[in-house]
Amino acid sequence: MQKRDVIIIGAGAAGLMCAISAGGRSKSVTVLDHANKVGKKILMSGGGRCNFTNYYTEPTNFLSANEHFCKSALSRYTQWDFIGLVEKYEIPYHEKKLGQLFCDNKAKDIVNMLLDECTNVGAEVRTHCSVEKVEKTENGFLLTSSQGKWQCASLVIATGALSIPTMGATGFGYDIARQFGLKVLPTTAGLVPFTLTPKLLEEFQGLSGTSADAIVSCNGVEFSENILFTHRGLSGPSILQISSYWKPGDVVEINLFPGDDLYEKLKTRQKERPKSHINTVLAEVLTKKLADRLTELWFTEYKDTSLAELSNDALQNVATQCQAWQLKPTGTEGYRTAEVTLGGVDTDEVSSKSFEAKKVQGLHFIGEVLDVTGHLGGFNFQWAWASGHACGQEL
Ligand SMILES: Cc1cc2nc3c(=O)[nH]c(=O)nc-3n(C[C@H](O)[C@H](O)[C@H](O)COP(=O)(O)OP(=O)(O)OC[C@H]3O[C@@H](n4cnc5c(N)ncnc54)[C@H](O)[C@@H]3O)c2cc1C
């Protein structure tokens, strides 16, 4: 039997940060992970460069049934705290866009930094360790694992969520929550590409890899970034962002001319270049390929007509279709490609200060296993760092 003050299950972003925070307060800490290496999602994130935080992190960048829950932890460990740590390790980084900070070199720099910090505070990290059973005892918890039995006063569940099962994602954290009678809110894939009907896929065939700036909106929320046509449907930052707000059956509205009043533009071109055609005007903003295909698909009756011959109603039709394109996705690509999981352990069950379950003394939940999900752009890691740090300070 091995005894520790704190056992953390899950050596991902939140678990490692919690180990550093608790270890720094002289607690004996062991982190157990069933994977063959630590921080796999950190390693694969941001295209291998890890978008580790965002300059503009605010509570409004997070979705949760309780929008206030994330505020306390985010204010106690901010983006500036994590940037300070990155700078202490002289890890080169840059802002890519919209406050999103990426490593110049590789995501491994972040994992190495976290592991070095664990070593500095004496926190032990073990891989290849599956936890088979968790039992409550009088003084804490008894764990049965593939590496023997463990006893601890505080148990922290940092096992993340369901996205990318091939990376070791499991519903373990939800099972533990349920075992102890805590509520788990329904989960769905977030930050995930949309799938389309076979008819739409056929219509967009050949556009795979084409992108366009767009404002995408649904359920009263909008995002203004790229959309990307893929061979399975639609992706790109705007689509990933809105997917977290979309529910099956919802229609998504897409404005392909975000900076323009397209009707006014068409009227102006009608005067300036009366002999030109719709696709030429669309190609001033969209790629030629996309402009030609949309004209072919949406404006068949006008495609061979010069602008001079088009009525105001026709021009208005074109503008409305391009600036308020109504699209009904068939679904999403699901957890297989989703960056995050919406829903999870109900935050009402957990203290926003210590992350301890209100009903079970010594049991804590941090990171993505909780019902807190960030927007795209480094916010999900900031939540992992902040919740891990806050919990570690209270253990
Ligand atoms: C492809 C991809 C790219 C991403 N890019 C970014 C990005 O650039 N910026 C950003 O902010 N967010 C990004 N995210 C989201 C981010 O990775 C997660 O929100 C974050 O990793 C969650 O941290 P966590 O510690 O809660 O969980 P995780 O990092 O998922 O860690 C959970 C750990 O628990 C372990 N585990 C799971 N089940 C068990 C079990 N039963 N027993 C033992 N161990 C277990 C896992 O092996 C894993 O090591 C990305 C996600 C994906 C999938």
Side-chain angles (χ1 to χ4, degrees), residues 7 38 43 49 99 116-117 138 157 164 175 186 284 325 343 391:
I7 298 267
V38 303
L43 293 172
R49 291 224 162 93
D116 281 359
E117 284 287 291
E138 214 178 302
I157 307 298
I164 324 268
D175 295 341
E284 287 179 27
W325 172 23
C391 176

Side-chain angles (χ1 to χ4, degrees), residues 49-83:
R49 291 224 162 93
C50 185
N51 177 194
F52 55 80
T53 193
N54 193 297
Y55 277 143
Y56 309 118
T57 305
E58 292 284 345
T60 48
N61 297 117
F62 297 85
L63 291 92
S64 172
N66 176 1
E67 65 192 59
H68 304 293
F69 180 83
C70 63
K71 291 180 179 172
S72 168
L74 288 174
S75 69
R76 281 181 286 150
Y77 191 86
T78 70
Q79 59 273 40
W80 307 109
D81 292 311
F82 194 77
I83 293 166

Side-chain angles (χ1 to χ4, degrees), residues 141-210:
F141 298 87
L142 177 66
L143 273 58
T144 309
S145 83
S146 57
Q147 295 182 18
K149 288 194 185 285
W150 303 79
Q151 203 185 317
C152 61
S154 301
L155 177 63
V156 181
I157 307 298
T159 44
L162 299 172
S163 314
I164 324 268
T166 49
M167 280 290 129
T170 66
F172 179 88
Y174 310 139
D175 295 341
I176 295 291
R178 289 191 192 101
Q179 177 189 331
F180 286 98
L182 310 183
K183 192 171 169 197
V184 178
L185 298 177
T187 59
T188 44
L191 300 180
V192 61
F194 283 138
T195 51
L196 303 175
T197 59
K199 181 170 175 284
L200 276 178
L201 281 182
E202 200 185 313
E203 289 177 353
F204 297 143
Q205 209 178 20
L207 288 179
S208 183
T210 302

Side-chain angles (χ1 to χ4, degrees), residues 226-245:
N226 267 1
I227 64 167
L228 174 72
F229 291 82
T230 71
H231 59 280
R232 283 197 220 98
L234 274 184
S235 186
S238 273
I239 295 292
L240 298 181
Q241 297 276 34
I242 210 71
S243 73
S244 295
Y245 292 86

